[in-house]
Amino acid sequence: MRVVVLGVGNILMSDEGVGVYAVTELDKLYALPDWVEVIDGGTSGMDCLDRIADADLLLIADSMRSPGKQPGDITRIADEEINAWFKTRISPHQVGLSDVLAACVFQGIAPKKVVLVGVQPASFDTAMELTPKVAAVLPQVIERLVAELVDFGVTVHAKAAA
């Protein structure tokens, strides 16, 4: 089995970087099996293609603007819902990620299951920290990532405090 946890976003644009912060903390706090790869995808787009190809599960953490949501609201979408979301929602890096997923499908190497845990941003202003509302839910985002992994059959253990 192969699982990829991908955090995407631009940490120079405040809440745009929430996915990167989430996977960084996940990797710091939890021990995962060798067959689970945690990737800080930043805004790299096609550079991630080979790393997500043929994954049994691609778990994405990202900022996600959704109508009617408040800053800090967390949304989970999966599989076909993700394709629909990419058609109507745009963020600075989204085109790259949607292109990567489309390229995987085109080449017949698409991940078998794709889940996105998204956080409604408060700001995309230039800043190297999350806004207070989004920072406050970061532990919940990490818990949701862990829950998705456990639901998929991954054994997850908290690392000992340093």
Side-chain angles (χ1 to χ4, degrees):
M1 187 157 36
R2 203 167 140 264
V3 173
V4 176
V5 183
L6 176 65
V8 291
N10 186 340
I11 61 168
L12 302 176
M13 295 177 62
S14 189
D15 297 341
E16 222 305 279
V18 68
V20 172
Y21 289 114
V23 299
T24 300
E25 285 298 302
L26 174 75
D27 201 34
K28 185 167 81 174
L29 298 172
Y30 292 93
L32 302 169
D34 291 340
W35 46 271
V36 176
E37 183 178 8
V38 178
I39 302 172
D40 168 353
T43 59
S44 59
M46 286 295 177
D47 293 341
C48 295
L49 181 68
D50 292 339
R51 296 175 79 183
I52 68 172
D54 289 320
D56 293 292
L57 170 65
L58 172 60
L59 178 57
I60 305 167
D62 196 1
S63 63
M64 180 178 171
R65 285 191 169 166
S66 300
K69 299 286 185 175
Q70 299 300 311
D73 285 353
I74 301 170
T75 302
R76 178 202 186 270
I77 59 175
D79 301 320
E80 292 307 314
E81 294 173 303
I82 291 173
N83 295 333
W85 181 71
F86 275 126
K87 289 178 185 171
T88 59
R89 311 293 194 272
I90 300 296
S91 77
H93 64 269
Q94 234 177 23
V95 172
L97 185 56
S98 63
D99 289 343
V100 170
L101 292 173
C104 284
V105 170
F106 181 75
Q107 293 179 32
I109 56 172
K112 292 170 185 64
K113 180 167 186 59
V114 180
V115 175
L116 181 129
V117 176
V119 180
Q120 180 76 13
S123 172
F124 285 163
D125 290 344
T126 303
M128 289 191 65
E129 62 273 336
L130 298 173
T131 60
K133 287 187 179 193
V134 172
V137 301
L138 191 59
Q140 294 171 39
V141 174
I142 297 163
E143 287 174 15
R144 294 232 187 155
L145 294 174
V146 168
E148 290 289 340
L149 291 169
V150 169
D151 286 350
F152 198 74
V154 176
T155 302
V156 179
H157 298 288
K159 290 181 179 175

